[in-house]
Amino acid sequence: MHKFLSCSSDWFLSYTELIMSCNLHPKKRLFLCLLLCLAFFVVDSSSQQHLEVKKKLMREKVREMFYHAYDNYMTYAFPHDELKPLTKSFTDSLSELGNLKLEHLPTDYNGSAVTLVESLSSLAILGNSSEFEKGVHWLSDNLTFDIDARVNLFECNIRVLGGLISAHLLAIDPTNRLIQGSYNNQLLRLAEDLGKRFLPAFETPTGLPYAWINLKNGVMENETTETSTSGCGSLILEMGALSRLTGDPRFESAALRALRQLWRMRSSLDLLGTTLDVVTGEWLEYSSSIGAGVDSFYEYLLKAYILFGKEDYWRMFSSAYLASQKYFRHGPWYHEANMWSGKPTYWQLTSLQAFWPGLQVLTGDIAAANSSHREFFHVWEKFGVLPERYLLDHQMIHPTMKYYPLRPELAESTFYLYQATKDPWYLDVGETMVKSLNLYTKVPGGFASVRDVTTMQLEDHQHSFFLAETCKYLYLLFDDSFVAKRNYIFTTEGHPIQVVSSWHEKLPKNYISGNWTLSKRGEWEGRASALSLQVCPSIALNSRRPEQHRESACHVPDEKTNHRCWSNKECGVDATTCRQRSCSGVGYCGLWNPL
């Protein structure tokens, strides 16, 4: 049915052309065309009704998933941080997030209701105003950050600070009507208090923040100086929003200074490594990628441009994105590469990379997004869920990373691609994911992480991002009414922040709600590449009008329009394959080098 729907207009035109070419009396041809029109509209109407029924059914299944996870958390774990669904108990995990060695754990910490904080924006999207208001009042009366606990700056920022800011913005939005009683910016005051406790982490010679901060005592003595690119380059959305809401510029200034310093440390190839030293400013791990340790750095550059309209963000993002296409991309896959040489280092898929197609939708690079998304989904279908790491060169799961902790990234990209294309195939993808999650991870006490995707052995942990992101994106896939008439960006933890002109230095010309692009000619060009705003021969937009093409966003034109050259430096990047073009012996740019 879906394949028929996707090409129904082609089917209609083909049969119309066939009728018109037949040697029939004009009245008979007219009669047959009228019958064909009637059949087409009846079938199309029926198919659309079927699609709407399916979306409502799946929406309710996702709603049930969310409340199964949320109700069990509130029953067995609240006000602690996260639920242990197999034993129906709890874990105070805020100080454990990112802490692989479980060092310096607090002795007197009883949780900060992290899952409740993370769930507020999801409750708003599901339309549960009473539970939202109840949660806001509890946090207002009980939550404190004056606690002797060492936390990961990045994790606490995206989960707690982002959750509070998003919930505050939803609470004061009169169109949502989420608060029936009084609300006096209590969540914003909590967010401001937390933001102030973050600031000592930025007091380094480089301006790059420590990865760890004690919420009560600041940076601990002999604290590690190692951090990740994403850890110090993915703070600008939450801290920038906090400055705009409070009028205190320190938060945005600190995050922006760190981001600019990080960008200055890039290689000549516009690549960044994975880990670095915040005191010396030296790179510790040279392997660069779009996956763990770097992923949200790219995401926050583009989304900061959308949210704040500062051209600096766009210039950094466009350079970083083009470099990723040039040095990481291998067909639909993205491997890792050395930041200095650009040569491949690790050929592996990590589950965190599944956010990338969603980011590509925001750039306008739909064809590349679709290509990568399908490969991620094939891996999901192969194992039932997405393993944490899959070795592309060996076509096997990494032997020590077989787990699936209920991650949301594939659901996120599926939502974005459906919004961009309205292709019902993405609804099928979402349905498959919902069935898998219910089949393999649902237990009486909630939803459990998968320890080993080859055996589906479970682990006693329901991460807060399952409610903040996984359920949210699946719900929005089937019911987008929350975002239909307003512009939101979602933080890397899935918390919505509305795009408002008052926060902009100037409105970004490359962004409107439908993800279309304003060309230099001042016309709207559907699905043009937002990076170059050019159209060149590569991918046909319309099978019936092959003269219309869209380039991939990796395209870099040759210096000369006649493609003549003296050296490789005068040649660009091919629009279709994203391969570097080179200068031939007779002086023309082209794809002369073998793969």
Side-chain angles (χ1 to χ4, degrees), residues 290 321 324-326 329-334 353-376 413 417 420-421 426 527-529 531 538-539 541 550-555 574-578:
I290 61 168
Y321 183 79
S324 73
Q325 297 296 301
K326 183 176 181 180
R329 185 174 177 178
H330 184 77
W333 298 108
Y334 290 81
Q353 292 177 354
F355 89 99
W356 190 253
L359 187 66
Q360 289 182 305
V361 169
L362 293 180
T363 73
D365 204 3
I366 309 297
N370 172 67
S371 175
S372 295
H373 175 273
R374 287 177 181 268
E375 296 301 327
F376 280 108
S413 288
L417 274 161
T421 66
Y426 294 107
R527 302 179 188 178
S529 166
L531 286 173
S538 63
I539 304 167
L541 285 175
R550 176 183 73 233
E551 67 172 0
S552 173
C554 65
H555 178 245
D574 183 68
T576 305
T577 64
C578 287

Side-chain angles (χ1 to χ4, degrees), residues 161 191-199 202 235-236 238-244 246-257:
L161 184 60
E192 184 177 16
D193 176 48
L194 181 59
K196 289 178 179 178
R197 295 172 188 274
F198 285 173
L199 291 177
F202 293 86
L235 306 166
I236 190 63
E238 293 85 358
M239 297 191 73
L242 184 58
S243 282
R244 305 302 171 102
T246 61
D248 187 339
R250 290 181 297 166
F251 311 114
E252 185 172 6
S253 295
L256 181 55
R257 181 191 176 201

Side-chain angles (χ1 to χ4, degrees), residues 36-72:
L36 186 62
C37 286
L38 179 62
F40 173 76
F41 288 117
V42 168
V43 170
D44 190 58
S45 176
S46 176
S47 300
Q48 189 62 34
Q49 290 176 0
H50 171 77
L51 195 63
E52 291 303 316
V53 169
K54 176 181 178 177
K55 287 170 68 175
K56 289 180 180 178
L57 176 64
M58 293 308 302
R59 177 192 68 188
E60 293 310 307
K61 287 187 176 181
V62 177
R63 186 191 297 273
E64 291 174 7
M65 287 172 58
F66 174 84
Y67 283 116
H68 182 68
Y70 179 79
D71 291 343
N72 274 288

